[in-house]
Amino acid sequence: MTHQERVFSGVQPTGNLHLGNYLGAITKFVALQESHECLYCVVDLHAITVWQDPKELAGNIREVTAAFIASGIDPKKQIIFNQSQVSGHAELAWVLNCVARMGWLNRMTQFKEKAGKHKENASVGLFTYPNLMAADILLYHATHVPVGEDQKQHLELARDIAQKFNVDFADTIKEAGFEEGIFFPQPEPLIQGPATRVMSLRDGSKKMSKSDPSEMSRITMTDDADTIAKKIRKAKTDPDALPSETDGLKDRPEANNLVGIYAALKGVSKEDVLKDHGGAQFSTFKPALAELAVEKVSPIADEMQKLLNDPAELDAILKDGANRAYTIADPIMKKTKEIVGFIG
Ligand code: AMP
Ligand code: TRP
């Protein structure tokens, strides 16, 4: 790693943190802290792009914070904070609203999915959500962004916005001392491994999501051992045995999903899982998966509970994280203003 590398990622405090969030994102956050300077953000400004009950939001912010720490992120070594405590996110998002084009945002598939048929009724914030996400990353000149597959398009947009800003303001960027004309570096997405898109346990064609009305569709990070085992036992599958090679998973979305979950929990590839379990029926694979899931998730759930019993301590961690995040963000925000031509 070079010293300029910096990792940023975010998770929305919208409740129901699940195995997709854990395997697709949070485990990656944990791994990167060994080699990189990392900022992990509870993106509360993003959360309110759809209605959040004010009486529940603070609890959900603490839940994500607790999940980060219980999963192994060290809040002393790395920065854990909530987005709304660092005003630069909203400020830079405004500038980027004026850089990004309507046509670019119109292509965002997540907006179309979330707004559904009632686009006219969606909040304006939901539409400009990807600009705020770009601001989150660029505010720290972050270079690497670990996320699940569903965020790929948003990251491509963040790269386009960084590039357009650098081109639009090339002259003042150079005057500000960036001789190569690069003020915002292009962030690299990190989307790797067997669980970048964990699917619903009820329907292998839908991704596991916080908002699925069926509790049985997801394993949450706070589920107890019995609940985890029950959800896996009832997970939808086809009647065939597991194949011995990954090719055999091609048209079997549910089997592919469970093998992917097993692989990610165990920290191995799908090939390795099939070497051990190829030929097995689900009646034997599911209990093995349940055991593994309980072994990995239950200690985190227990630790989260302990942390959540002391909300004041979690709030202090977020405050400290926000102060440290601010010291990185502030000079970058000030330079941005100078480059745009603002006074003061
Ligand atoms: P969100 O809950 O939308 O804030 O997502 C937080 C992180 O979890 C992002 O990096 C997402 O890409 C990732 N994520 C969400 N759902 C899934 C899923 N079903 N499979 C893999 N990663 C996911
Ligand atoms: N949009 C991301 C999600 O829902 C969360 C997010 C907000 C994010 N800002 C970010 C992820 C910046 C990576 C970097 O999953």
Side-chain angles (χ1 to χ4, degrees):
M1 148 180 121
T2 69
H3 68 281
Q4 297 104 325
E5 286 192 358
R6 184 177 283 150
V7 170
F8 184 99
S9 196
V11 174
Q12 299 189 71
T14 40
N16 289 333
L17 267 182
H18 53 69
L19 201 57
N21 299 128
Y22 179 63
L23 297 176
I26 300 173
T27 55
K28 312 289 174 62
F29 301 177
V30 178
L32 284 160
Q33 71 173 340
E34 299 309 323
S35 50
H36 286 72
E37 176 191 11
C38 306
L39 294 111
Y40 296 127
C41 186
V42 186
V43 289
D44 45 13
L45 299 175
H46 277 103
I48 63 164
T49 56
V50 298
W51 172 250
Q52 302 299 318
D53 185 341
K55 295 201 177 70
E56 287 173 17
L57 186 55
N60 287 336
I61 294 169
R62 293 189 190 108
E63 182 180 84
V64 176
T65 309
F68 284 172
I69 299 168
S71 300
I73 298 165
D74 179 349
K76 292 213 169 69
K77 229 166 94 188
Q78 305 297 350
I79 296 178
I80 296 178
F81 72 111
N82 62 313
Q83 195 183 23
S84 62
Q85 288 206 61
V86 180
S87 59
H89 292 258
E91 245 179 300
L92 182 58
W94 181 259
V95 175
L96 301 185
N97 279 343
C98 303
V99 174
R101 306 288 91 184
M102 288 292 288
W104 299 1
L105 287 174
N106 272 329
R107 286 196 283 275
M108 294 295 115
T109 55
Q110 188 169 302
F111 174 75
K112 290 180 202 158
E113 279 159 26
K114 285 200 184 176
K117 290 191 197 90
H118 307 288
K119 209 165 96 192
E120 300 299 316
N121 215 6
S123 74
V124 176
L126 188 67
F127 185 68
T128 60
Y129 175 118
N131 294 345
L132 176 60
M133 178 164 161
D136 296 342
I137 300 164
L138 301 182
L139 184 61
Y140 301 94
H141 284 182
T143 53
H144 292 81
V145 184
V147 282
E149 174 75 36
D150 60 348
Q151 295 304 310
K152 191 164 179 232
Q153 195 186 32
H154 287 160
L155 278 175
E156 280 159 10
L157 183 86
R159 292 168 63 86
D160 289 345
I161 291 175
Q163 161 99 9
K164 185 167 192 300
F165 184 97
N166 289 340
V167 170
D168 287 356
F169 295 100
D171 290 347
T172 46
I173 287 174
K174 286 190 191 122
E175 280 164 29
F178 298 84
E179 273 141 39
E180 273 148 41
I182 297 170
F183 180 60
F184 288 129
Q186 298 243 324
E188 293 269 349
L190 298 174
I191 306 172
Q192 287 145 356
T196 54
R197 189 174 172 79
V198 175
M199 308 309 277
S200 156
L201 299 179
R202 306 303 297 164
D203 178 350
S205 69
K206 281 202 319 212
K207 77 175 182 201
M208 186 176 284
S209 112
K210 291 167 170 171
S211 57
D212 193 312
S214 165
E215 300 259 345
M216 296 299 286
S217 70
R218 61 181 163 261
I219 290 170
T220 71
M221 292 185 71
T222 47
D223 278 346
D224 61 28
D226 288 347
T227 310
I228 294 173
K230 182 174 95 190
K231 287 178 177 175
I232 292 179
R233 196 166 59 242
K234 300 216 161 158
K236 187 176 167 205
T237 48
D238 57 43
D240 298 337
L242 285 180
S244 47
E245 306 208 351
T246 48
D247 260 7
L249 292 170
K250 263 198 189 116
D251 297 311
R252 299 178 62 189
E254 286 86 13
N256 185 33
N257 190 37
L258 296 185
V259 170
I261 291 174
Y262 191 102
L265 284 169
K266 193 141 190 158
V268 300
S269 66
K270 289 195 216 177
E271 283 80 1
D272 288 337
V273 176
L274 293 180
K275 260 183 222 146
D276 289 345
H277 295 273
Q281 298 292 336
F282 282 107
S283 54
T284 48
F285 183 65
K286 278 182 169 181
L289 175 58
E291 194 183 324
L292 179 63
V294 169
E295 182 192 317
K296 299 287 177 183
V297 177
S298 287
I300 297 174
D302 292 346
E303 185 59 26
M304 278 175 73
Q305 200 44 61
K306 271 189 222 149
L307 292 162
L308 287 166
N309 286 338
D310 190 354
E313 173 62 19
L314 290 172
D315 294 1
I317 288 171
L318 290 172
K319 175 108 236 136
D320 172 62
N323 288 336
R324 286 153 61 208
Y326 176 80
T327 62
I328 304 174
D330 187 52
I332 296 177
M333 195 62 227
K334 287 210 169 87
K335 271 284 173 223
T336 307
K337 289 181 174 173
E338 180 190 323
I339 288 166
V340 172
F342 293 148
I343 294 173

